Amino acid sequence: NKTYQTTAASWQAVGSGTVHNPKGATATTTQMWADTPRPVTYVWSHTNLVNGVHGTSPWTFNIDTGELVYKSGTFQNAQTVAANLESYNVNPLSVTSISFTGTVNLPANSASMFADMQNLISFNDTNINTSAVTDMSSMFNNTSELETLNLEHFVTTNVTDMRSMFARMTSVTMLNLSSFNTANVTNMSYMFLNLTHLTSINLSNFNTEKVTDMSGMSVSYTH
């Protein structure tokens, strides 16, 4: 249930590595036969990368490291990262880091875009363009292993909905939202729900003049 990018038409000994990351020499079938009866495990030579596209933004996922890297493009409107990965048979829970090597434009409807990435521990917003986004509701909801989130490159001028945006980030200790312009936001309900380990948050540019719903905005509880 995985797709691999083949790099050579040859067999490779697993050696001291794994079947997804072999570290032995390549061999022909004749050489493999000559190895018998010595116990050797061979796999078809490949890299440990899965490739896909989200909208027009190509991505590469490293199976062994959990790194998900996006190149320039525009994400499909209203399609979450988790849903996109699953369409390529990639388990979203295997992703540990997300970064962007070229300018990636997020769509108007970016609700739950990075939600439920429960093993994500690193998110780098460099090269991300959010100027067209109007809905950021539940964007990082339930990214429960992420400890630090710095969104200094986020542009939020057109955003109207931020409800549950950071809800259930139960490991996060630092949130830097100093770049946020919230002048047009009307809904902030449950925005910081259950941030039980939060010790630092920067809301220096928050404007709540148009907000009509702040219910449960900063409710925290433990089990």
Side-chain angles (χ1 to χ4, degrees), residues 107-176:
N109 185 350
S110 288
S112 301
M113 184 59 71
F114 306 104
D116 298 318
M117 310 292 286
Q118 295 182 34
N119 289 311
L120 186 69
I121 58 176
S122 174
F123 183 89
N124 188 335
D125 76 334
T126 304
N127 295 320
I128 200 169
N129 178 15
T130 62
S131 60
V133 179
T134 59
D135 189 348
M136 287 186 175
S137 60
S138 296
M139 180 177 269
F140 294 96
N141 183 24
N142 203 28
T143 52
S144 53
E145 292 298 316
L146 197 59
E147 295 183 2
T148 300
L149 187 59
N150 186 347
L151 301 180
E152 62 181 339
H153 296 101
F154 265 42
V155 176
T156 60
T157 309
N158 293 313
V159 178
T160 60
D161 194 344
M162 287 186 175
R163 58 192 158 129
S164 300
M165 185 174 179
F166 306 104
R168 301 176 184 87
M169 294 183 66
T170 52
S171 295
V172 72
T173 59
M174 189 281 286
L175 274 175
N176 181 6

Side-chain angles (χ1 to χ4, degrees), residues 21 48-52 58-71 81 85 90-101 117 119-124:
N21 187 25
N48 55 350
L49 303 179
V50 182
N51 297 308
W59 53 261
T60 299
F61 176 62
N62 188 311
I63 296 168
D64 294 310
T65 65
E67 296 172 289
L68 179 61
V69 180
Y70 291 93
K71 295 181 180 179
V81 166
L85 290 172
V90 174
N91 185 350
L93 298 182
S94 61
V95 177
T96 59
S97 73
I98 294 177
S99 61
F100 309 87
T101 59
M117 310 292 286
N119 289 311
L120 186 69
I121 58 176
S122 174
F123 183 89
N124 188 335

Side-chain angles (χ1 to χ4, degrees), residues 12-16 24-28 30-42:
Q12 185 173 352
V14 171
S16 61
T26 57
T28 64
T30 301
Q31 292 169 324
M32 290 164 63
W33 179 261
D35 276 333
T36 57
R38 182 169 69 90
V40 181
T41 300
Y42 291 95

